Amino acid sequence: MTTPVHVQTVEGLGTVTVRPIDPDRDAPLLHGWVNEERARFWGMVGTTVEQVRDIYAHLDSLTTHHGFLVLRDGEPVCLFQTYDPAADRVNECYEVRPGDIGVHLLIAPGTAHEPGFTGRLLGALVDFCLKDHTRIVVEPDAANEKAIARMVRAGFEPGPEVVLPEVDLPEVFIPEKKARLAFLTRP
């Protein structure tokens, strides 16, 4: 079992546990999530379980990017990734500050229909990120109005619309992306 990096009890939600992704064990679950049409902004629709495993094994090998499975009362509810913006393509689009952390969030199918669920879960993930950092940056797809609105409701300040450049490396290919930056600074 992977050791949790954050455990927090959230009123009205339950116990939120953030643990590193185990690529071999978690790939079948994550494959189902990232291959849904609603997850098209992750750019993984059409991947195989093996490709998902390989992507998260590669992510696990990095010191700057991390993948986490988030559980509520022991049940998987979210795919969460953190990264050092200075070591990511987003650094070409804004002035990275010391203490910045970038995040990606994908809520599991079916869980977001519960009133207040996403807001409470996001609160726990913000607490996790701001333990060791001073500012969170998100860069949802500019066309993902629901994600942008959710970040604003959570207290993120909208930033500019930017174009994240294509990444074409032997280990990973990420196409160019129009994104809307948003920032949340520790109070």
Side-chain angles (χ1 to χ4, degrees):
M1 186 67 175
T2 310
T3 304
V5 294
H6 182 78
V7 178
Q8 179 178 345
T9 300
V10 179
E11 187 175 332
L13 185 66
T15 301
V16 174
T17 303
V18 180
R19 69 153 175 84
I21 288 173
D22 176 327
D24 292 321
R25 184 179 61 195
D26 297 330
L29 172 70
L30 298 178
H31 173 261
W33 294 0
V34 301
N35 270 279
E36 290 198 346
E37 172 56 23
R38 68 181 196 83
R40 68 189 174 282
F41 298 112
W42 278 68
M44 295 172 70
V45 172
T47 56
T48 65
V49 172
E50 186 63 25
Q51 288 170 316
V52 170
R53 192 209 70 75
D54 291 349
I55 288 166
Y56 284 99
H58 172 70
L59 197 69
D60 192 43
S61 74
L62 303 174
T63 59
T64 56
H65 294 63
H66 307 284
F68 301 99
L69 190 64
V70 181
L71 303 104
R72 175 179 68 167
D73 296 332
E75 293 298 316
V77 294
C78 176
L79 170 56
F80 189 61
Q81 293 175 199
T82 63
Y83 62 91
D84 176 355
D88 191 85
R89 66 184 178 160
V90 74
N91 76 21
E92 297 181 31
C93 301
Y94 88 101
E95 190 174 327
V96 177
R97 296 181 192 163
D100 280 2
I101 185 171
V103 303
H104 299 288
L105 169 78
L106 178 65
I107 303 294
T111 53
H113 300 296
E114 186 180 318
F117 173 84
T118 303
R120 289 183 184 102
L121 182 65
L122 190 54
L125 297 174
V126 164
D127 289 348
F128 166 59
C129 289
L130 293 180
K131 279 190 312 188
D132 299 320
H133 297 87
T134 55
R135 185 170 71 158
I136 301 171
V137 60
V138 294
E139 27 95 353
D141 191 288
N144 192 344
E145 295 173 4
K146 287 178 73 173
I148 295 166
R150 164 45 58 206
M151 293 300 135
V152 170
R153 284 195 309 275
F156 283 76
E157 291 185 31
E161 187 170 303
V162 299
V163 176
L164 300 175
E166 175 182 288
V167 175
D168 192 3
L169 301 171
E171 307 84 17
V172 65
F173 172 78
I174 307 171
E176 180 180 276
K177 170 182 157 183
K178 288 183 182 175
R180 168 71 63 186
L181 298 181
F183 303 90
L184 181 67
T185 303
R186 184 189 312 163

